[in-house]
């Protein structure tokens, strides 16, 4: 292990005069660490957009020690307008305030740290029906990883189907092909003969299928 207080000398290029004042500790803690951190932040920013970050913050808010009721209601109203009516959002605010108080008294609910544990705890403590709107928010958040994975699989499959030789494929045909390819486990259970019979019964045909 090098002496961290010794001057750092690069093996790639001839050191300049100002580089003689740079120690190994400064190089590893500042130069190397900062550049690595910048690359990771750049990758995270490119992978998670503002929409995803706000939904992740919603997930974290529900398992925080003290729930931010206003923030959760604003995000629910913004991203789930079709799942909650205006009256339900008002009721959600009251349920979150009551749930915030009850968490401090319930040992099971106070020990949760993830959104999946919160979903299980609501069922185990039989609070799912009492806080049914909170449970709905939790279940909507839990579908995010599934929807994200499905989207990524869809783009990967599209690269296989719609290539340079098949770039004139119609949207309907492409969508149907992607569904069959992505949901392989379901499509493998289909009976080919039954599909042929259904296709045959659609209309009369001259040739026998």
């Amino acid at each position: 292990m090098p002496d961290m207080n010794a001057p750092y000398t690069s093996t790639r290029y001839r050191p300049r005069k100002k580089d003689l004042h740079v120690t190994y500790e400064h190089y590893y803690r500042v130069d190397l660490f900062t550049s690595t951190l910048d690359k990771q932040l750049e990758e995270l920013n490119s992978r998670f957009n503002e929409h995803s970050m706000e939904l992740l913050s919603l997930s974290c808010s529900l398992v925080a020690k003290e729930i931010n009721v206003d923030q959760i209601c604003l995000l629910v109203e913004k991203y789930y307008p079709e799942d909650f009516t205006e009256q339900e959002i008002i009721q959600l605010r009251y349920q979150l305030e009551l749930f915030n108080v009850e968490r401090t008294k319930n040992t099971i609910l106070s020990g949760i740290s993830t959104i999946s544990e919160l979903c299980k705890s609501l069922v185990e403590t039989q609070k799912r029906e009492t806080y049914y709107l909170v449970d709905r928010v939790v279940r909507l958040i839990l579908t995010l990883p599934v929807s994200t994975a499905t989207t990524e699989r869809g783009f990967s499959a599209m690269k296989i189907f719609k290539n340079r030789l098949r770039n004139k494929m119609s949207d309907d045909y492409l969508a149907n092909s992607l569904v069959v390819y992505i949901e392989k486990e379901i499509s493998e259970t289909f009976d080919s003969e039954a599909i042929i019979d259904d296709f045959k019964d659609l209309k009369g045909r001259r040739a026998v299928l």
Side-chain angles (χ1 to χ4, degrees):
M1 182 176 179
D3 183 9
M4 302 304 290
N5 295 322
Y8 172 76
T9 55
S10 176
T11 57
R12 294 186 177 182
Y13 58 89
R14 182 179 296 178
R16 293 171 292 184
K17 290 184 179 180
K18 64 177 183 179
D19 294 337
L20 297 176
H21 301 286
V22 177
T23 62
Y24 276 95
E25 183 179 7
H26 182 276
Y27 171 73
Y28 285 113
R29 287 195 175 185
V30 179
D31 297 341
L32 187 62
F33 178 76
T34 304
S35 60
T36 304
L37 190 62
D38 288 339
K39 289 182 180 179
Q40 290 180 346
L41 289 174
E42 184 179 354
E43 184 177 352
L44 289 172
N45 289 331
S46 62
R47 188 174 182 84
F48 299 101
N49 53 23
E50 183 179 356
H51 177 269
S52 300
M53 292 302 296
E54 288 187 345
L55 290 175
L56 288 174
S57 65
L58 174 60
S59 173
C60 296
S61 299
L62 286 170
V63 294
K65 292 183 178 180
E66 186 174 354
I67 297 176
N68 191 334
V69 178
D70 294 332
Q71 182 186 15
I72 293 175
C73 291
L74 286 174
L75 292 176
V76 168
E77 187 176 2
K78 180 178 180 180
Y79 291 108
Y80 300 110
E82 297 181 359
D83 298 289
F84 294 88
T85 62
E86 294 182 0
Q87 187 65 29
E88 286 179 334
I89 292 178
I90 296 174
Q91 294 177 359
L92 175 63
R93 179 179 296 274
Y94 292 123
Q95 288 191 13
L96 287 170
E97 291 175 352
L98 292 174
F99 182 72
N100 210 4
V101 175
E102 186 166 352
R103 276 187 58 184
T104 59
K105 302 178 181 179
N106 193 309
T107 55
I108 298 178
L109 294 175
S110 60
I112 57 176
S113 58
T114 62
I115 196 70
S116 58
E117 291 179 359
L118 176 58
C119 184
K120 294 178 182 178
S121 300
L122 288 173
V123 177
E124 293 174 356
T125 57
Q126 298 180 351
K127 300 295 182 181
R128 178 184 173 184
E129 296 181 358
T130 305
Y131 303 104
Y132 63 96
L133 293 176
V134 178
D135 180 73
R136 189 188 303 177
V137 175
V138 171
R139 293 178 183 275
L140 286 171
I141 295 174
L142 286 173
T143 61
L144 287 175
V146 178
S147 59
T148 304
T150 304
T151 304
E152 292 178 354
R153 283 191 298 167
F155 278 108
S156 300
M158 189 168 62
K159 293 180 181 179
I160 297 174
F161 274 93
K162 198 165 186 177
N163 51 31
R164 184 175 59 84
L165 299 176
R166 291 185 287 186
N167 58 356
K168 294 184 179 180
M169 186 184 300
S170 64
D171 293 338
D172 292 338
Y173 183 71
L174 175 62
N176 295 333
S177 301
L178 289 176
V179 170
V180 176
Y181 181 82
I182 294 172
E183 304 296 342
K184 290 181 180 179
E185 297 179 357
I186 300 177
S187 60
E188 288 176 354
T189 61
F190 295 160
D191 185 7
S192 300
E193 296 297 330
I195 296 175
I196 294 174
D197 293 338
D198 292 339
F199 183 73
K200 177 182 177 182
D201 295 337
L202 291 177
K203 63 179 181 179
R205 303 180 187 278
R206 297 179 181 178
V208 179
L209 297 178

